[in-house]
């Protein structure tokens, strides 16, 4: 059977029309990955799409991992096009490519308080998909948001007779290449975040009320 390969890195090739694609493959038995290759290629004005696959016997027991390099050859110079491999976008970065973030895209906003960064901040939280968020403070380094996990319990348009009390938690985050959660609380003030991050600016949190 044909299986998508796991792409681990992308580099410019020896000429303007090639890319070298590093892949991680299941190995350890004859039935494991073999013949990694490009099986689909579409070249657009701004984006190149391709699938990177390998062959493998169904149900194969593969206790090890192996690496391989697959050459992608374009009919025209690749230039600065974005390359999408197995639905994952990669952006040129010198002689190599960097993996684009599924939420932020290939060119994250410079403003860490922009909506896309707020999506990143909440995207990894263990909360229902349609929870409501409210930004209480953001300066690009520190972020305070509240999340109401009951906001959509009754649907986007509340059903007649349905009601749900707010269930709100406050999150304190710090930016370090991306937003990272420091602490959560339902209590007023700064105690929860100062217990783990003493440098958090007290003026931001000292007057925050309890969430419920």
């Amino acid at each position: 059977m044909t299986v998508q390969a796991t792409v681990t890195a992308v580099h410019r090739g020896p000429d303007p029309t090639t890319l070298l694609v590093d892949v991680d493959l299941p190995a350890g038995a004859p039935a494991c990955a073999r013949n990694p290759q490009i099986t689909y290629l579409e070249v657009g004005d701004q984006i190149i799409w391709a699938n990177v696959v390998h062959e493998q016997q169904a149900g194969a027991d593969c206790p090890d991992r192996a690496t391989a390099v697959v050459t992608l050859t374009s009919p025209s110079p690749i230039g600065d096009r974005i390359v999408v491999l197995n639905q994952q976008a990669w952006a040129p970065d010198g002689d190599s490519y960097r993996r684009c973030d599924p939420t932020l895209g290939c060119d994250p906003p410079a403003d860490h308080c922009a909506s896309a960064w707020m999506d990143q901040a909440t995207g990894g939280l263990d909360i229902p998909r349609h929870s409501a968020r409210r930004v209480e403070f953001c300066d690009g380094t520190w972020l305070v948001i509240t999340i109401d996990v009951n906001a959509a319990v009754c649907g986007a348009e509340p059903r007649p007779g349905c009601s749900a009390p707010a269930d709100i938690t406050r999150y304190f985050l710090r930016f370090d290449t991306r937003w990272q959660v420091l602490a959560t609380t339902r209590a007023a003030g700064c105690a929860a975040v100062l217990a783990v991050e003493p440098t958090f600016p007290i003026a931001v949190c000292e007057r925050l009320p309890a969430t419920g």
Side-chain angles (χ1 to χ4, degrees):
M1 65 178 182
T2 300
V3 181
Q4 283 193 346
T6 300
V7 177
T8 58
V10 182
H11 309 278
R12 293 193 184 274
D15 64 73
T17 64
T18 61
L19 294 176
L20 303 179
V21 182
D22 296 348
V23 294
D24 177 76
L25 303 170
C32 297
R34 58 190 181 277
N35 194 27
Q37 59 182 297
I38 303 294
T39 58
Y40 166 85
L41 179 67
E42 181 177 342
V43 179
D45 292 338
Q46 304 296 326
I47 301 175
I48 294 174
W49 295 268
N51 288 341
V52 189
V53 303
H54 62 84
E55 298 171 4
Q56 181 173 321
Q57 183 175 312
D61 182 13
C62 304
D64 301 323
R65 307 298 299 181
T67 59
V69 178
V70 179
T71 300
L72 183 155
T73 302
S74 168
S76 59
I78 293 168
D80 291 328
R81 291 182 176 97
I82 300 294
V83 179
V84 179
L85 303 173
N86 297 347
Q87 293 81 55
Q88 168 65 58
W90 298 76
D93 188 7
D95 290 334
S96 296
Y97 281 66
R98 53 181 168 81
R99 192 189 303 267
C100 299
D101 189 278
T103 301
L104 299 167
C106 296
D107 294 300
D111 179 5
H112 299 158
C113 299
S115 179
W117 281 112
M118 297 300 98
D119 291 342
Q120 177 271 310
T122 57
L125 301 180
D126 184 18
I127 57 176
R129 181 178 178 183
H130 297 294
S131 299
R133 75 176 180 230
R134 182 168 69 90
V135 176
E136 296 187 297
F137 177 83
C138 183
D139 67 357
T141 300
W142 307 104
L143 171 63
V144 184
I145 55 176
T146 57
I147 303 291
D148 181 0
V149 297
N150 275 355
V153 167
C154 295
E157 296 293 334
R159 298 183 299 274
C162 179
S163 63
D167 186 357
I168 301 172
T169 300
R170 178 174 289 118
Y171 291 76
F172 298 92
L173 303 92
R174 176 177 56 200
F175 192 89
D176 182 7
T177 70
R178 59 199 298 114
W179 288 110
Q180 306 284 347
V181 175
L182 298 171
T184 63
T185 188
R186 293 173 183 264
C190 301
V193 66
L194 293 180
V196 295
E197 180 48 80
T199 65
F200 192 92
I202 295 176
V204 171
C205 55
E206 61 182 348
R207 292 185 174 85
L208 292 175
T211 60

